[in-house]
Amino acid sequence: MPTVDVHTHIYPPTFVELLRSRTTVPYVRTFPDTPNSSRLVILPGEDDPSTPSTSRGRPIGPEYYDIAQKIAFMDMHKIDKSVISLANPWLDFLPAEEAGEAAQRINDDVDGLCAKYPGRLYAFGTLPLSAPAETVIKEIERLAGLKHMRGVIMGTSGLGNGLDDPALDPIYAALEKHSQLIFLHPHYGLPASVYGPRANEYGHVLPLALGFPLETTIAVTRMLLSGVWDRFTSLNVLLAHSGGTLPFLAGRIESCVKHDGHLKKKGNIQGRRDVWEILKTNIYLDAVIYSDVGLKAAINASGADRLMFGTDHPFFPPLEEKAKEWHSVNANYGAISSAFKDDQSQAQDVLGNNAIRILKLHD
Ligand code: 5CU
C-alpha cells in the first residue's frame, strides 16, 4: 500500500543561490547573533529589523535544497512517493524579463531531480507569472511534455490582481487544455494590520496558522464568485492545508451568495455552479491540517476520494535538536488514522491511492 506526499517543497540549489544574492525579501542571510547559520526570509512582514532574528525567517539547512535529504526524510516517514514543488514565493518577485528563463531553468532542474529517483519523485512545475501571458502559456505547454510534471504550483496573486482576474483566462484555458492541475498555495497572508502591533512577539503563528488558510479561502471564493469554474468546468485545483477554511465556511459562503441582492440583480446567481458542486468536482484537498477535526470537515466537503496526504516538508521541523521523526508529519498521519478508524480502506486511499489515481503516478 503506497504512501504518497503531495505537499512537499524544495528550493533547488540555483534558486537558493538567487535568494543568497538578494538583499531584500525574499532572501537568505545571516544575522549578527547567528553569524554561522543562514536564515530564509520569505514572508511579507517577517523582516522587521526591530525584532530578534528568531522571528525573522527560519533556519535554512540542506533539507531545503538537497534532494538526498528529501529521500532520507521520505524513508524515515515511510513515504513511497513525493510530488515535490518549489516553495513560496515561487517566481512571483522576479522582473518580467527574467521570469520566463528562470521558470524553464527551475522546472528543468526539478524534473532532473525527479529523474534521479525513478518511481519515487514527481513534481508540480512553476509558472513565470510576472511575465507576459504568452510566456506563461509557453511554459505550461513545455511542462506538459516533461516526464515527471503533474501540474503547477501557484500562489494567490496570479498576474498581480488575484485569481479572479479575467486576464488569467488564457492561462486557465491552457491549464485545462493540457489537463494540468493547479496546486494552490498561500504566501501573502492577510494585511499586517490585522495581526496587531504585538504581532512580532508571537513569532510566525498568526500569519501561518491564520493568514495562510484565510488567504486560500478568500482566493478560492473570488474564483467562485467570478465564475472561473463556470467558464472552465474541467479546471482542477488542489488546495493546500485542506482548503484553508473553505470546507468549514462553504455553507456560509453559499448562503451569502444566495442572499445577495446585488448578485441577484446582476443575474449572477442563476445557472451558476455552487460551492458544494465545485468542492466535489473541481477541488482536491491535501490532508495537511494536523487534526481530525479539520480533516473531517474536508472529508465532508469534498469526499474522502478527493483528499491526499501531505507533509509540508521541509517546513515545520521538530524544534528539539535530537528529534528524528517529525511531530508535524505524525500529526497528519494521526489525523487520518483517527478520522478513518472504522474504514482502513478509505485511510489508505487518502494516504496514497487517491494521489496515484488523480496524479497518474503509476510507475
Ligand atoms: O514556515 C513557513 O513560513 C512556511 C512557508 O513559508 N510555506 C509553507 O508552505 N509552509 C510553511
Side-chain angles (χ1 to χ4, degrees):
M1 292 296 179
T3 297
V4 181
D5 182 356
V6 300
H7 187 156
T8 178
H9 300 296
I10 184 98
Y11 291 103
T14 50
F15 192 81
V16 176
E17 261 169 53
L18 169 70
L19 296 181
R20 281 192 200 281
S21 72
R22 292 172 49 88
T23 53
T24 53
V25 176
Y27 66 149
V28 171
R29 59 163 291 182
T30 56
F31 287 91
D33 59 336
T34 54
N36 299 319
S37 70
S38 299
R39 293 182 76 84
L40 170 70
V41 188
I42 43 176
L43 298 180
E46 73 167 338
D47 201 23
D48 177 348
S50 68
T51 61
S53 66
T54 43
S55 89
R56 295 173 71 185
R58 69 259 331 112
I60 177 170
E63 66 281 10
Y64 279 79
Y65 47 80
D66 180 356
I67 199 67
Q69 298 248 345
K70 178 76 74 194
I71 297 290
F73 165 85
M74 289 166 63
D75 291 343
M76 189 195 324
H77 291 95
K78 301 189 172 40
I79 294 166
D80 301 289
K81 296 172 190 286
S82 288
V83 187
I84 58 178
S85 48
L86 185 68
N88 49 303
W90 314 284
L91 307 177
D92 289 8
F93 60 94
L94 285 184
E97 63 281 8
E98 290 174 28
E101 191 275 325
Q104 283 190 23
R105 188 182 65 245
I106 284 160
N107 288 330
D108 287 345
D109 277 0
V110 169
D111 195 59
L113 295 176
C114 297
K116 285 187 171 177
Y117 296 94
R120 294 210 72 187
L121 294 182
Y122 299 84
F124 295 120
T126 304
L127 295 180
L129 289 170
S130 57
E134 310 84 76
T135 311
V136 182
I137 290 167
K138 250 197 198 157
E139 191 56 14
I140 292 170
E141 286 165 356
R142 213 181 66 84
L143 284 169
L146 293 188
K147 184 169 176 191
H148 304 93
M149 293 293 168
R150 292 298 186 272
V152 296
I153 185 164
M154 227 195 232
T156 61
S157 66
L159 304 173
N161 290 317
L163 301 182
D164 53 356
D165 180 359
L168 278 166
D169 276 11
I171 291 165
Y172 289 144
L175 290 166
E176 188 181 53
K177 177 175 165 198
H178 293 283
S179 305
Q180 296 214 36
L181 167 147
I182 299 174
F183 177 22
L184 180 57
H185 194 292
H187 168 70
Y188 297 95
L190 298 173
S193 58
V194 307
Y195 304 132
R198 298 186 62 186
N200 284 327
E201 291 175 42
Y202 312 137
H204 293 104
V205 173
L206 292 173
L208 290 181
L210 302 174
F212 267 29
L214 287 167
E215 175 190 352
T216 305
T217 310
I218 292 167
V220 177
T221 306
R222 284 173 56 180
M223 290 174 80
L224 279 159
L225 291 171
S226 68
V228 167
W229 282 291
D230 297 313
R231 297 194 297 287
F232 303 100
T233 53
S234 315
L235 181 70
N236 290 324
V237 180
L238 164 62
L239 299 182
H241 316 126
S242 299
T245 60
L246 186 69
F248 183 77
L249 292 179
R252 183 167 178 83
I253 295 167
E254 195 50 36
S255 177
C256 288
V257 170
K258 283 202 185 109
H259 292 91
D260 194 282
H262 173 73
L263 291 187
K264 186 171 180 209
K265 191 163 167 220
K266 275 179 53 192
N268 282 11
I269 295 183
Q270 239 169 3
R272 94 204 148 88
R273 301 177 66 216
D274 74 15
V275 184
W276 299 113
E277 180 184 337
I278 287 161
L279 273 163
K280 290 189 165 65
T281 315
N282 299 92
I283 287 179
Y284 299 106
L285 303 171
D286 73 19
V288 181
I289 191 77
Y290 311 105
S291 123
D292 65 351
V293 174
L295 196 64
K296 283 176 185 164
I299 296 163
N300 286 334
S302 282
D305 57 334
R306 306 183 73 80
L307 213 56
M308 297 180 261
F309 173 74
T311 63
D312 212 352
H313 180 260
F315 294 104
F316 304 112
L319 296 179
E320 307 87 352
E321 270 178 22
K322 293 221 168 87
K324 285 218 162 107
E325 286 195 6
W326 291 36
H327 310 303
S328 53
V329 177
N330 288 340
N332 285 322
Y333 271 133
I336 293 171
S337 103
S338 159
F340 294 108
K341 56 178 172 302
D342 300 324
D343 193 337
Q344 278 316 298
S345 139
Q346 281 196 328
Q348 196 48 57
D349 289 347
V350 174
L351 285 170
N353 293 337
N354 289 344
I356 294 199
R357 183 190 80 247
I358 294 162
L359 300 172
K360 301 187 174 59
L361 308 182
H362 309 282
D363 292 338

